[in-house]
Amino acid sequence: MKSIRLEINNATSFLAAGALDEVSANVPDAQKALEEQTCPGNDFLGWMHLPSSITPEFLGEIKACAQTLRENCDTIVVAGIGGSYLGARAVIEALGNQFEWLTNDGSNPVILFAGNNIGEDYLFELCEYLKGRKFGVINISKSGTTTETALAFRLLKKQCEDQRGKEVARKVIVAVTDAKKGAARITANQEGYTSFIIPDNVGGRFSVLTPVGLLPIACAGFDIDALVQGATDMEKECSTDDNIATQYAAVRNALYRAGKKIEILVNYQPKLHFMNEWWKQLYGESEGKDGVGIFPAAVDFTTDLHSMGQWIQEGERSIFETVISVENPRHKVLFPHDEENLDGLNFLTGKRVDEVNKMAELGTLLAHVDGGVPNMRVVLPELNEYYLGQLIYFFERACGVSGLLLDVNPFNQPGVEAYKKNMFALLGKPGYEAETEAIQARLK
Ligand code: PA5
């Protein structure tokens, strides 16, 4: 089986002699600290050997639950936010037909996402859409108390019970949450929902290969065995000190030390938009702390070449790019001939659309490198479950190593509590009386 590969030459050419070696010298210590669980955040390393520890029996349980949902639902709403949502969406959108939800023939349920915002109109429109539909819900929350998800779940649970009756609702509502604590666990136990556990030692953003990601992905009809196999093979590949994950981690840190403070993840396939979003969360929450951290940004090309392209080509030279490139598309479309040739594009007649896309990619790479933007490429032979499994583990492993090279704890996220504290104080949550008083005084 082929493997995804990493190309770094167009990035290392920007580094001073010895700069990469200086960073790479710390890789063995980072790898050792991860393997021996001696690094900061060592109680959240469950993701490290997760792929190889997943048994066929466990995957069988997930597939059985997915089958029940698929048989009993035309629509499945996945309620979750951050790490409890982005990985599943990234894989489902990367593998799915982007127009299937419009033309759905019933062979797959429509998968929708909720609980990832507090948009009143979003929730209204979702509930309207679900009226009369045979829908089910996967309620995903590790803490079981996240406001966005809890709000959506309250609405969805009630609507599901009202529309489908309590008995059926019990069958089509599934919880993915902590083993013991949190409102989602208590509700699941009280109602008798099928439930899956998010292991204590796997943080949200590293949880896509737990039921958090696997269950929605299986519900959408994708092959979770192949996904896990891809991740397992990459886990093996990453066990040595010199592998594509450690190389990526070292190069991005060397670039950061050389003043490249922003990394832009680029794709040339609209299907990968949510892979960008997943990656942003993984790296943003893992590295942005203690006053340091590469800022993870993302663009979809060629779409964003018509918006962000100018900035990337000629703006402040504080950026580098990492391109996710897919070698072979799944379908074939040829550039059509036009008698009048008003657009002057007949010279492309008969070429694969992907060939045009690839030349846009190469042309952009050369232009950006010429413009002072270091460029790495992560190349996938094709978009399938196996290579996405590899990609997920590659980015996770590189993130762990990279965070340690940066000298931060990559596995905590203390900063995300600040807005919640203010929001609860502003909303007058019981227990927040002192904070409410302080924040109101500040707003006077
Ligand atoms: O990565 C993280 O830890 C976060 O993004 C969480 O996944 C997110 O806040 C959702 O938390 P929970 O699963 O507890 O609802």
Side-chain angles (χ1 to χ4, degrees), residues 237-248:
E237 199 172 319
C238 292
S239 60
T240 60
D241 284 346
D242 188 19
N243 61 68
I244 59 171
T246 55
Q247 284 164 18
Y248 172 60

PDB file of all heavy atoms in Angstrom, residues 237-248:
ATOM      1  N   GLU A 237       4.785   3.992  11.198  1.00  0.00           N
ATOM      2  CA  GLU A 237       5.805   4.763  10.477  1.00  0.00           C
ATOM      3  C   GLU A 237       6.398   5.858  11.369  1.00  0.00           C
ATOM      4  O   GLU A 237       7.548   6.244  11.202  1.00  0.00           O
ATOM      5  CB  GLU A 237       5.152   5.383   9.237  1.00  0.00           C
ATOM      6  CG  GLU A 237       6.154   5.807   8.190  1.00  0.00           C
ATOM      7  CD  GLU A 237       5.467   6.227   6.894  1.00  0.00           C
ATOM      8  OE1 GLU A 237       4.496   5.561   6.475  1.00  0.00           O
ATOM      9  OE2 GLU A 237       5.901   7.230   6.316  1.00  0.00           O
ATOM     10  N   CYS A 238       5.611   6.354  12.301  1.00  0.00           N
ATOM     11  CA  CYS A 238       6.062   7.472  13.140  1.00  0.00           C
ATOM     12  C   CYS A 238       6.827   7.013  14.383  1.00  0.00           C
ATOM     13  O   CYS A 238       7.139   7.825  15.251  1.00  0.00           O
ATOM     14  CB  CYS A 238       4.870   8.331  13.554  1.00  0.00           C
ATOM     15  SG  CYS A 238       4.154   9.215  12.176  1.00  0.00           S
ATOM     16  N   SER A 239       7.098   5.721  14.486  1.00  0.00           N
ATOM     17  CA  SER A 239       7.757   5.249  15.710  1.00  0.00           C
ATOM     18  C   SER A 239       9.263   5.545  15.704  1.00  0.00           C
ATOM     19  O   SER A 239       9.895   5.579  16.746  1.00  0.00           O
ATOM     20  CB  SER A 239       7.497   3.755  15.914  1.00  0.00           C
ATOM     21  OG  SER A 239       8.015   3.054  14.807  1.00  0.00           O
ATOM     22  N   THR A 240       9.836   5.778  14.529  1.00  0.00           N
ATOM     23  CA  THR A 240      11.261   6.127  14.494  1.00  0.00           C
ATOM     24  C   THR A 240      11.397   7.643  14.666  1.00  0.00           C
ATOM     25  O   THR A 240      10.418   8.379  14.510  1.00  0.00           O
ATOM     26  CB  THR A 240      11.871   5.754  13.129  1.00  0.00           C
ATOM     27  OG1 THR A 240      11.160   6.480  12.124  1.00  0.00           O
ATOM     28  CG2 THR A 240      11.762   4.263  12.862  1.00  0.00           C
ATOM     29  N   ASP A 241      12.625   8.105  14.922  1.00  0.00           N
ATOM     30  CA  ASP A 241      12.794   9.548  15.128  1.00  0.00           C
ATOM     31  C   ASP A 241      12.731  10.343  13.832  1.00  0.00           C
ATOM     32  O   ASP A 241      12.355  11.512  13.822  1.00  0.00           O
ATOM     33  CB  ASP A 241      14.125   9.835  15.837  1.00  0.00           C
ATOM     34  CG  ASP A 241      14.026   9.495  17.319  1.00  0.00           C
ATOM     35  OD1 ASP A 241      12.887   9.318  17.800  1.00  0.00           O
ATOM     36  OD2 ASP A 241      15.074   9.391  17.965  1.00  0.00           O
ATOM     37  N   ASP A 242      13.119   9.696  12.724  1.00  0.00           N
ATOM     38  CA  ASP A 242      13.098  10.424  11.452  1.00  0.00           C
ATOM     39  C   ASP A 242      11.951   9.900  10.594  1.00  0.00           C
ATOM     40  O   ASP A 242      12.058   8.862   9.946  1.00  0.00           O
ATOM     41  CB  ASP A 242      14.446  10.248  10.728  1.00  0.00           C
ATOM     42  CG  ASP A 242      14.525  11.156   9.508  1.00  0.00           C
ATOM     43  OD1 ASP A 242      13.750  12.133   9.445  1.00  0.00           O
ATOM     44  OD2 ASP A 242      15.359  10.891   8.621  1.00  0.00           O
ATOM     45  N   ASN A 243      10.853  10.604  10.629  1.00  0.00           N
ATOM     46  CA  ASN A 243       9.688  10.210   9.835  1.00  0.00           C
ATOM     47  C   ASN A 243       9.004  11.476   9.338  1.00  0.00           C
ATOM     48  O   ASN A 243       9.412  12.586   9.697  1.00  0.00           O
ATOM     49  CB  ASN A 243       8.733   9.353  10.678  1.00  0.00           C
ATOM     50  CG  ASN A 243       8.217  10.116  11.881  1.00  0.00           C
ATOM     51  OD1 ASN A 243       7.466  11.075  11.744  1.00  0.00           O
ATOM     52  ND2 ASN A 243       8.660   9.734  13.074  1.00  0.00           N
ATOM     53  N   ILE A 244       7.962  11.324   8.533  1.00  0.00           N
ATOM     54  CA  ILE A 244       7.395  12.536   7.927  1.00  0.00           C
ATOM     55  C   ILE A 244       6.754  13.468   8.971  1.00  0.00           C
ATOM     56  O   ILE A 244       6.743  14.681   8.802  1.00  0.00           O
ATOM     57  CB  ILE A 244       6.416  12.228   6.763  1.00  0.00           C
ATOM     58  CG1 ILE A 244       5.238  11.362   7.204  1.00  0.00           C
ATOM     59  CG2 ILE A 244       7.146  11.601   5.596  1.00  0.00           C
ATOM     60  CD1 ILE A 244       4.160  11.233   6.115  1.00  0.00           C
ATOM     61  N   ALA A 245       6.270  12.902  10.063  1.00  0.00           N
ATOM     62  CA  ALA A 245       5.660  13.765  11.088  1.00  0.00           C
ATOM     63  C   ALA A 245       6.727  14.578  11.816  1.00  0.00           C
ATOM     64  O   ALA A 245       6.545  15.783  12.060  1.00  0.00           O
ATOM     65  CB  ALA A 245       4.864  12.910  12.076  1.00  0.00           C
ATOM     66  N   THR A 246       7.843  13.925  12.160  1.00  0.00           N
ATOM     67  CA  THR A 246       8.896  14.680  12.865  1.00  0.00           C
ATOM     68  C   THR A 246       9.537  15.697  11.921  1.00  0.00           C
ATOM     69  O   THR A 246       9.917  16.791  12.342  1.00  0.00           O
ATOM     70  CB  THR A 246       9.972  13.741  13.454  1.00  0.00           C
ATOM     71  OG1 THR A 246      10.490  12.912  12.409  1.00  0.00           O
ATOM     72  CG2 THR A 246       9.418  12.880  14.569  1.00  0.00           C
ATOM     73  N   GLN A 247       9.631  15.332  10.631  1.00  0.00           N
ATOM     74  CA  GLN A 247      10.212  16.288   9.669  1.00  0.00           C
ATOM     75  C   GLN A 247       9.322  17.530   9.554  1.00  0.00           C
ATOM     76  O   GLN A 247       9.798  18.665   9.592  1.00  0.00           O
ATOM     77  CB  GLN A 247      10.348  15.645   8.287  1.00  0.00           C
ATOM     78  CG  GLN A 247      11.511  14.681   8.165  1.00  0.00           C
ATOM     79  CD  GLN A 247      11.379  13.782   6.949  1.00  0.00           C
ATOM     80  OE1 GLN A 247      10.608  14.077   6.025  1.00  0.00           O
ATOM     81  NE2 GLN A 247      12.101  12.688   6.938  1.00  0.00           N
ATOM     82  N   TYR A 248       8.031  17.283   9.418  1.00  0.00           N
ATOM     83  CA  TYR A 248       7.088  18.411   9.307  1.00  0.00           C
ATOM     84  C   TYR A 248       7.166  19.283  10.568  1.00  0.00           C
ATOM     85  O   TYR A 248       7.252  20.524  10.486  1.00  0.00           O
ATOM     86  CB  TYR A 248       5.679  17.855   9.099  1.00  0.00           C
ATOM     87  CG  TYR A 248       4.561  18.864   9.150  1.00  0.00           C
ATOM     88  CD1 TYR A 248       4.509  19.933   8.260  1.00  0.00           C
ATOM     89  CD2 TYR A 248       3.526  18.734  10.088  1.00  0.00           C
ATOM     90  CE1 TYR A 248       3.465  20.859   8.305  1.00  0.00           C
ATOM     91  CE2 TYR A 248       2.472  19.640  10.135  1.00  0.00           C
ATOM     92  CZ  TYR A 248       2.446  20.705   9.246  1.00  0.00           C
ATOM     93  OH  TYR A 248       1.418  21.615   9.298  1.00  0.00           O
TER      94      TYR A 248
END
